[in-house]
Amino acid sequence: VGAMTQTIIELELNQFFGKRRVRSMIDKLEGHIILCGFGRVGRGAAEELRKAGTPFVVIDNSDERVERAIKAGMLAVLADASRDETLRDVGIARAKGLIATLASDADNLFVVLSAKTLNPNLQLSVRIAEESSEQKMRRAGADFVFAPYNTTGHRMARAMLKPHVLEFLDFTEQQGVDVEIEQVLVTDQSSFAGRTLADVDIRYKSSVVILAIRKANGEMHFNPSSEVKMSPGDHLIAMGDASNLQKLGQLLMGTVSV
């Protein structure tokens, strides 16, 4: 009886201190992503966030999935993501965005409504199972809506019609291949502001390819000409390896001189 009692107490203490440690780590998060659901889609999102070095916390109501996330070295809590107190506990007021990958469209819609109410500036990305749910999600405040089954169908067709294009896209996503597509902001402090692509010769200075420029007013310029002028608030969509993209970001932010 004594041994059993000691074991139970030790387990309870471990859980208590474990929860305190998780709470302390969550309280330190700032500009993080809240990932609701750790199923197949959620695990894919988590791996992408971890690869990018973005801080995030997982919420799931399944002991097994939460344990799986923790064993993978992720910050995870066992809770109901649709409850306001849960979202507050994971620092939604300080979060940058939320990804909803719960099992049903109704659950994801409820999470989107709750999250937008608690933090109107939050970026929201949500998965849907039914196409009819897309407009509801957008009306509720979702910024990005994804239908995994539709996406898979499109990719399967492209594999038959444009195999080399799909192979190139897959190449850029393969593990170990250091080629990424990134968005980089032109700041007020940047010496690039007010100058054209030809003036600064970005490709020479940073060894990246500029695929597009999203102007501050929302206009998107694909394959921009060398005469396009960059302005503060513009985003450059660039492709290259991680180190060169980081160098480009430093140039455009004004932390590195041209």
Side-chain angles (χ1 to χ4, degrees), residues 34-38 57-61 66 75-81 86-87 90 102:
I34 299 171
L35 177 56
C36 302
F38 199 66
V57 56
V58 174
I59 307 174
D60 202 293
N61 60 4
V66 169
L75 186 60
V77 295
L78 179 66
D80 182 355
T86 298
L87 296 176
V90 296
L102 301 180

Side-chain angles (χ1 to χ4, degrees), residues 89-151:
D89 287 344
V90 296
I92 192 170
R94 307 184 307 276
K96 175 184 178 182
L98 180 145
I99 300 175
T101 68
L102 301 180
S104 73
D105 290 355
D107 289 339
N108 285 324
L109 179 60
F110 202 85
V111 169
V112 168
L113 289 168
S114 298
K116 207 65 175 179
T117 300
L118 296 171
N119 185 349
N121 298 320
L122 201 68
Q123 278 196 322
L124 295 172
S125 180
V126 59
R127 62 150 288 190
I128 57 173
E130 301 293 336
E131 292 183 25
S132 58
S133 301
E134 180 175 357
Q135 291 305 316
K136 295 177 183 178
M137 294 294 182
R138 294 194 182 279
R139 287 197 297 268
D143 300 287
F144 311 102
V145 181
F146 297 91
Y149 300 115
N150 288 348
T151 303

Side-chain angles (χ1 to χ4, degrees), residues 221-238:
H221 296 268
F222 295 98
N223 190 24
S225 73
S226 59
E227 300 306 314
V228 173
K229 185 178 293 187
M230 293 172 287
S231 305
D234 291 353
H235 281 86
L236 271 62
I237 313 301

Side-chain angles (χ1 to χ4, degrees), residues 24-207:
S24 177
M25 294 173 68
I26 291 175
D27 289 342
K28 294 177 182 177
L29 290 176
E30 187 82 31
H32 57 291
I33 304 295
I34 299 171
L35 177 56
C36 302
F38 199 66
R40 287 176 295 178
V41 177
R43 289 194 295 272
E47 287 300 328
E48 192 66 26
L49 291 172
R50 182 156 66 173
K51 179 182 175 183
T54 301
F56 67 97
V57 56
V58 174
I59 307 174
D60 202 293
N61 60 4
S62 165
D63 286 292
E64 181 181 353
R65 289 195 289 266
V66 169
E67 184 178 356
R68 181 172 181 174
I70 292 173
K71 286 183 177 179
M74 301 174 186
L75 186 60
V77 295
L78 179 66
D80 182 355
S82 64
R83 298 178 65 87
D84 287 358
E85 52 265 39
T86 298
L87 296 176
R88 291 193 186 97
D89 287 344
V90 296
I92 192 170
R94 307 184 307 276
K96 175 184 178 182
L98 180 145
I99 300 175
T101 68
L102 301 180
S104 73
D105 290 355
D107 289 339
N108 285 324
L109 179 60
F110 202 85
V111 169
V112 168
L113 289 168
S114 298
K116 207 65 175 179
T117 300
L118 296 171
N119 185 349
N121 298 320
L122 201 68
Q123 278 196 322
L124 295 172
S125 180
V126 59
R127 62 150 288 190
I128 57 173
E130 301 293 336
E131 292 183 25
S132 58
S133 301
E134 180 175 357
Q135 291 305 316
K136 295 177 183 178
M137 294 294 182
R138 294 194 182 279
R139 287 197 297 268
D143 300 287
F144 311 102
V145 181
F146 297 91
Y149 300 115
N150 288 348
T151 303
T152 301
H154 291 314
R155 287 177 64 85
M156 292 175 70
R158 287 172 184 167
M160 301 295 294
L161 300 172
K162 304 173 183 179
H164 302 308
V165 174
L166 186 64
E167 182 181 0
F168 171 75
L169 294 175
D170 288 339
F171 171 80
T172 64
E173 297 175 358
Q174 288 175 11
Q175 187 174 4
V177 176
D178 195 17
V179 178
E180 300 178 5
I181 297 177
E182 186 62 86
Q183 61 179 46
V184 189
L185 174 66
V186 181
T187 66
D188 294 318
Q189 293 75 31
S190 174
S191 57
F192 284 26
R195 302 171 67 182
T196 67
L197 293 175
D199 290 337
V200 297
D201 196 358
I202 287 179
R203 186 165 187 173
Y204 171 75
K205 289 184 172 66
S206 58
S207 300

